[in-house]
Amino acid sequence: MNDRKRQVLLTAQRLFVEKGFSATSVQDILEESKISKGTFYNYFSSKNECLLAILERIKVETSVRRRELLIGRSASSKDILAEQISIHMQVSQEQNLLPLFEAIFHSGDPELRAFVTKQFKEELSWLSGRIIDIYGEEVTPFAADCTVLLLGMLQHMTHIWMLLSKGQVDHEKLVHFIIRRMDSIINGMIGTDDIFIGGEILFNIDQAKSEKTYSKEQLLFQLDGFQKHLEGETKPEEKQYIQFLMDELREARPRTFLLETITHSFNNTFTATPHEAEAQEIASKLWYYADTIK
Amino acid sequence: MNDRKRQVLLTAQRLFVEKGFSATSVQDILEESKISKGTFYNYFSSKNECLLAILERIKVETSVRRRELLIGRSASSKDILAEQISIHMQVSQEQNLLPLFEAIFHSGDPELRAFVTKQFKEELSWLSGRIIDIYGEEVTPFAADCTVLLLGMLQHMTHIWMLLSKGQVDHEKLVHFIIRRMDSIINGMIGTDDIFIGGEILFNIDQAKSEKTYSKEQLLFQLDGFQKHLEGETKPEEKQYIQFLMDELREARPRTFLLETITHSFNNTFTATPHEAEAQEIASKLWYYADTIK
DNA sequence: TCACCTTTGTACGCTTAGTATAATTGTATT
DNA sequence: AATACAATTATACTAAGCGTACAAAGGTGA
């Protein structure tokens, strides 16, 4: 992904959040990001695709930052879960992202709809897994229900808060509040064996998850491109990480645990540099890849 | 409200729910309801106003049917609350009404935004009161939080259900499920004195509620028009109700308890007749009026 | 320098919201 | 029945937005 293109994406996201998706014209985006119409339609085949790219970017950044949080910490800590959940709200500037989802969801185009549905399912699946991490295996049958309830409470609270008080929501505080409600709910559900949607819906979700996969060649190509892109201005260890990752990828059976750790360090090296976004993108793909060959 | 206009409204609502608001063109509505463009813009000053009228109609019908449910029954029964809540979902065919709200909410126009916000606040205020009815005065400080959580769980569950299984949601079953979750939550909140938004937000909501008010003259005029509209085809008691209501309204201090009871009977008389909708509209206004002079 | 890619500017087609208006139909009153 | 008035229709129009096409200009690497 081009730097310029990324800039356009960020501008568009800001406009969509400020004015709403349909109220933002392509013209607005062109003027605000100072590009021509031709360029825009060179980057994205439509306004919808632009929105799609924004959602994709948000997903990648969220997923990378969530992973970062877990490194070397206990997966069963509620505080960490709370942080991980807030990350999504921070990255997407929650107050207006839900409407964006809705906008795309009801825009007729079945392709876009499928995309959003998939992201939604992945979030559901992820959070469901984390809830089991924290509350233990015995909540597995209730995990899907709990996840939906948790997300519902969270989103609606945020929504109402914005509606009434206009101020920014304290995401961390809210998430902790909701998790405490979750504690009560889970007790109640286990006690009475009370289930509404049930866990079986997660089956086809997990299938959906593994759909997107990257080939070794793609990853090598992108790493190579990134390396050339750095050209000189780099500290030596940065190149070492990249070189190591490429070497390991070229092995017949890359060792996933190595890929994961080194990807983490690789990604860390570029935080707060101009290459952060590109590094994140690559890290995300590497992690996906490591998952698929596990 | 004209019969034809009502027909157009229902058609438009169906289309909006089926295809989404922005994906439904005015042309679609014209063709589907077999009217001309001129007529449409005679009824509504814009597509947005048409949506507005739909929401208004839904509100009126919901509120009337909820009131009906309470007649002669205990306000503290959870089953009745469950029914009252499901009514809103039935009337609005919930699966796609939330997006409609979102659509209007983020459509730039501040007037529309204000309208939706107001309806939202009224729903919040109503449900908050009902929760206190049921769980007792001691939950008052938590009522606002609980209401938001309840609505959030409800809406999100519905949303996900539609997303995953495509089938119709069993509203009643879902509402009961959510109310059971509410039981746990309220216990937890009271035990730990845990509050996020707090009850003070309900103050300016109650103000907002009393904004809309109808004058005696308006009501008399509409009752008179309705009476003429019936012309002959009517059973005698129908006219008697109307006459009584008009007489009572003309009193210096109409007795509210009489207005309320008779309005109820009046409204009942017209259920399942062609005049049901108009009667409901009038009943709703009368109840509003009775509330204001209480 | 040459080849190739990106970007720009602009003109165009198409759809849709909303306006304007003259002609037609329906309806109530006398 | 005749007349007056309101509602409805049909149609043409403006304005705005999305997306396409394409030729000209600019940049970059070999």
Side-chain angles (χ1 to χ4, degrees), chain A residues 102 105-108 113, chain B residues 12-24 51 54-55 58 88-104 155 158-159 162-163 166 168-169 171:
Chain A
E102 299 291 354
F105 197 76
H106 290 94
S107 72
R113 201 189 138 105
Chain B
Q13 179 177 350
R14 181 171 56 76
L15 290 176
F16 288 162
V17 165
E18 278 171 19
K19 312 174 47 172
F21 177 66
S22 45
T24 303
L51 176 50
I54 289 174
L55 297 182
I58 287 173
H88 189 231
M89 303 198 279
Q90 290 160 20
V91 173
S92 60
Q93 306 161 60
E94 183 75 30
Q95 68 276 25
N96 280 42
L97 192 96
L98 189 65
L100 282 192
F101 267 81
E102 300 291 355
I104 216 178
Q155 284 173 7
T158 311
H159 193 189
M162 299 303 298
L163 198 71
K166 311 287 183 190
Q168 276 302 311
V169 188
H171 294 308

Side-chain angles (χ1 to χ4, degrees), chain B residues 123-180:
Chain B
E123 176 75 5
L124 213 63
S125 171
W126 172 82
L127 185 50
S128 210
R130 295 290 289 120
I131 282 182
I132 293 173
D133 285 346
I134 283 173
Y135 291 96
E137 295 286 341
E138 65 270 25
V139 307
T140 308
F142 311 98
D145 282 274
C146 290
T147 305
V148 178
L149 296 178
L150 194 158
L151 288 176
M153 290 192 285
L154 202 58
Q155 284 173 7
H156 208 236
M157 264 295 190
T158 311
H159 193 189
I160 297 290
W161 182 275
M162 299 303 298
L163 198 71
L164 297 178
S165 74
K166 311 287 183 190
Q168 276 302 311
V169 188
D170 184 338
H171 294 308
E172 289 258 357
K173 196 176 156 208
L174 173 57
V175 172
H176 277 106
F177 175 82
I178 299 292
I179 289 181
R180 287 195 295 277

Side-chain angles (χ1 to χ4, degrees), chain A residues 96 99 102 105-106 120 145 148 151-153 156-157 159-161 163-164 180-181 189 194 197 201, chain B residues 96 99 102 105-106 120-121 145 148 151-153 156-157 159-161 163-164 180-181 194 197 201:
Chain A
N96 279 42
E102 299 291 354
F105 197 76
H106 290 94
F120 222 85
D145 283 273
V148 178
L151 288 176
M153 291 192 284
H156 208 236
M157 264 296 191
H159 194 191
I160 296 290
W161 181 275
L163 199 70
L164 297 179
R180 286 194 296 276
R181 301 292 79 73
M189 285 179 82
D194 201 359
I197 49 174
I201 57 155
Chain B
N96 280 42
E102 300 291 355
F105 198 75
H106 291 94
F120 222 83
K121 287 179 176 176
D145 282 274
V148 178
L151 288 176
M153 290 192 285
H156 208 236
M157 264 295 190
H159 193 189
I160 297 290
W161 182 275
L163 198 71
L164 297 178
R180 287 195 295 277
R181 301 292 79 73
D194 201 358
I197 50 174
I201 58 153

Side-chain angles (χ1 to χ4, degrees), chain A residues 255-292:
Chain A
R255 289 157 288 182
T256 55
F257 76 98
L258 273 177
L259 281 183
E260 284 178 349
T261 323
I262 304 299
T263 299
H264 172 231
S265 306
F266 157 80
N267 181 49
N268 255 4
T269 316
F270 291 99
T271 44
T273 77
H275 306 99
E276 177 172 13
E278 196 174 355
Q280 258 183 17
E281 196 184 316
I282 293 176
S284 161
K285 290 186 182 176
L286 279 168
W287 277 323
Y288 258 109
Y289 179 73
D291 276 350
T292 57

